[in-house]
Amino acid sequence: MTAELVRGQNHTLPQTRLEIRVSAGTPVVAGATLGDENGTVLGAEWVAHPGATRLPGLEVSGQAAADHRLAADLDAVPARVHRITVLLALPTGIGGPVRFGAVAAPHVAVTGLDGTAIAGFTLTGLDAESAVAALELYRRQGAWKVRAVGQGYAGGLAAMFTDQGLAGAAELAASIQDAVTRATARSVAPPPPRTPDGDRVGRGPRPVPAPDDAVPPASARPNDPLARPTAPQTPGGAIDYTHPRRQTSAPPPPPPTAPPAEPGRPARPVAGDATGWSMEERLYNQIWGMFEDLARTTAAYRSAVEFAESRMEQELDRTLSDPRNRIGGAGDRAREQARAKHDELTSRAREALDRDLAQLTAESAVVEPALPAAYAGWDNPVWHGYRVPMENPMALRIGDLHLPEATGLRIPLLVRLPLERGIWIDSGRTASGAAALGDAGQLHRLAMESAVAHAARLLAVYPADEFSVHVIDPAGSASGALAPLVRSGALAQPPAAGAEGVASVLARLTRRVDLVQMAIRAGAADSLPPDVDTGQHLLIVNDFPHGFDDRAVTQLRYLADEGPSVGVHLLMVADREDAAAYGPVLDPLWRSLLRITPVPDDHLADPWVGHAWTYEPLRVPPGSRVLDDVLAKVATARRTWRR
């Protein structure tokens, strides 16, 4: 039975392998400090945080999130450690709330590895505090207990660390917040939340559902901090691969070609088998569900392997600590037994992972052919029958993601439209291991080709009058890569070259942002000048910062910060080393953009577990004219619209 604790109450822990699960209504930083018998933290190396996620017996998340799982193996904690304090803090560099009194009360639960709840604590009564010591795990007479603390600090992490006797508290707190900001910049944004009635935030009204469609979507259900992500066993021994938090509202009937599932076996996957009020939204939610399933099943596998290795080491340490077992056959037998247990555990974990991967691969095989153009790769047959759409799209595919445990299973990387942040294609040789081995000129060419392909996809998925592309190419070095856009006539204007061209484009787009913002604030959107296009705009910037003076850099930063809210978006192709002379002045610019690469690189993180995912850019098949054909149709539609 779960013990729901109140502040100051303690509870005996029945096991030493634990998870601490955090559920909050907003992204928070989760970490832990290790203290001695007096509760003193002896150094920064005794603090687990997003910049240093692992300590002996403890692992925390590497980014801010609304939900966390902290892993603890109390048997592996150093003997000097008598107290583990679980801390929560509000991140300061991502524009969220600055005090816990402005958000829903966080809930912290201690569970076993199988999800069995042991104790929980809801942190109520917080107000101006921006950091809080939530729980303590502490030794008492050879056993471990948990205590509900709930001690908040208006001075944030620095005040908390100072209270725990840590020297250099302010410096460590600043480094943690900086690590969170960097992790947020590389994290893939999760799907937007839903209102309690199921509407997505920021989207227009939806039709009133029929009674059969009234099942609430998964994301509209209250968060269950103790929900288990593992797949339940059916009586027949087969596995139900449906994620506990993936649910269908009035599941669509299987297509005529899909035979019914055999008894005792999981249902065969169906494209669009997710919540949503259109097929486009159903596919979007299904892909995100696959993304989450793969993240969580891989996390379970990695955790099981780490547990097996930790258990083997502990058994060997216990056996070999007796000098009598170090000679003769006793030591060899102990090693063989420990290795056998390790191999059995890892084998069972791999079997479970392989079953999950097989189901996800089968689901991917039926989803990919059903994707609309906005979600499809360039090799998808949907592009051969392309027609300029009449409605704005919901999302756009900008690449694929995969994990080392399943390199053949690609998950489409979808970003919501309109873009909520700009995109930076890193053309530097330090961008990744693959980039370091490549030629600098070739990397830049690939980066510009990727930028053109992304721009073409955006032009293709919007109605003819709803999207415009502008290009800044100061030295004219990207003329070859830009040829498809220029040839087709799909650009709003020819690429701008030289300092004068850079200043002209930036001044025009900055003026548009200013006027639209003023019109919105004044409630006078109808009074905009006739030359102000209220559609979406994409600015491709090549070779930044070449051709940019200080004023132009300031305008670019302004567009990156203020542009997305009024329909002006950045797509930068740049090597950060080229802008090193600006120092930290440009750090906010880089962090505001979603960084992708022209070659595969494992730099993106998911919003659930924080795995490092390998990003694969989309490529036009060699010899294919699909890009030129699509742009020609877009340009024709734009000319027809203007007549």
Side-chain angles (χ1 to χ4, degrees), residues 143 177 181 338 384 395-396 502 621:
Q177 294 291 0
T181 303
H384 299 306
L396 184 79
V502 171

Side-chain angles (χ1 to χ4, degrees), residues 8 58 73 110 149 179 203 230 295 335 338 383 387 389 506 563 581 587:
L58 193 63
D73 182 359
V110 180
V149 181
R203 292 182 66 83
T230 53
R335 292 186 184 92
W383 289 107
R387 296 290 184 272
L506 292 177
D587 285 351

Side-chain angles (χ1 to χ4, degrees), residues 8-66:
Q9 186 178 359
N10 60 44
H11 184 75
T12 301
L13 294 173
Q15 58 199 77
T16 56
R17 292 274 299 176
L18 305 167
E19 280 189 350
I20 296 95
R21 305 188 180 188
V22 178
S23 178
T26 190
V28 297
V29 181
T33 60
L34 306 183
D36 60 15
E37 62 273 11
N38 299 316
T40 302
V41 180
L42 300 182
E45 67 277 7
W46 282 38
V47 182
H49 57 82
T53 58
R54 292 190 178 187
L55 294 178
L58 193 63
E59 183 174 0
V60 303
S61 173
Q63 61 190 41

Side-chain angles (χ1 to χ4, degrees), residues 44-131:
E45 67 277 7
W46 282 38
V47 182
H49 57 82
T53 58
R54 292 190 178 187
L55 294 178
L58 193 63
E59 183 174 0
V60 303
S61 173
Q63 61 190 41
D67 298 287
H68 290 273
R69 292 190 179 192
L70 284 64
D73 182 359
L74 301 180
D75 289 335
V77 172
R80 296 176 62 193
V81 174
H82 288 257
R83 186 182 304 176
I84 301 173
T85 302
V86 177
L87 63 90
L88 305 179
L90 293 171
T92 59
I94 62 174
V98 297
R99 60 187 187 91
F100 275 108
V103 301
H107 182 83
V108 184
V110 180
T111 75
L113 294 183
D114 60 355
T116 303
I118 299 172
F121 174 45
T122 301
L123 285 81
T124 58
L126 299 176
D127 187 10
E129 298 88 345
S130 60

Side-chain angles (χ1 to χ4, degrees), residues 366-394:
V366 299
V367 167
E368 278 285 352
L371 295 178
Y375 301 173
W378 287 114
D379 57 349
N380 193 305
V382 70
W383 289 107
H384 299 306
Y386 168 75
R387 296 290 184 272
V388 177
M390 300 298 293
E391 296 182 357
N392 289 346
M394 178 179 178

Side-chain angles (χ1 to χ4, degrees), residues 385-460:
Y386 168 75
R387 296 290 184 272
V388 177
M390 300 298 293
E391 296 182 357
N392 289 346
M394 178 179 178
L396 184 79
R397 183 175 185 169
I398 62 171
D400 293 332
L401 298 172
H402 67 83
L403 290 171
E405 286 83 358
T407 56
L409 178 58
R410 261 57 172 179
I411 303 295
L413 174 56
L414 303 181
V415 294
R416 286 298 297 261
L417 296 177
L419 293 171
E420 297 177 354
R421 60 197 291 200
I423 296 175
W424 164 33
I425 303 179
D426 191 347
S427 60
R429 295 188 64 188
T430 59
S432 66
L437 300 176
D439 176 77
Q442 181 185 17
L443 284 173
H444 189 79
R445 178 181 59 80
L446 290 174
M448 273 307 301
E449 289 177 354
S450 294
V452 169
H454 291 313
R457 292 174 72 86
L458 284 164
L459 285 166

Side-chain angles (χ1 to χ4, degrees), residues 229-245:
T230 53
Q233 296 281 350
T234 61
I239 294 179
D240 178 5
Y241 292 96
T242 304
H243 193 280
R245 293 206 315 231

Side-chain angles (χ1 to χ4, degrees), residues 484-516:
L485 290 174
V486 175
R487 269 197 315 265
S488 65
L491 290 178
Q493 293 178 340
E500 184 178 348
V502 171
S504 174
V505 172
L506 292 177
R508 187 167 62 252
L509 292 177
T510 301
R511 172 179 175 268
R512 182 198 176 280
V513 171
D514 289 338
L515 290 175
V516 174

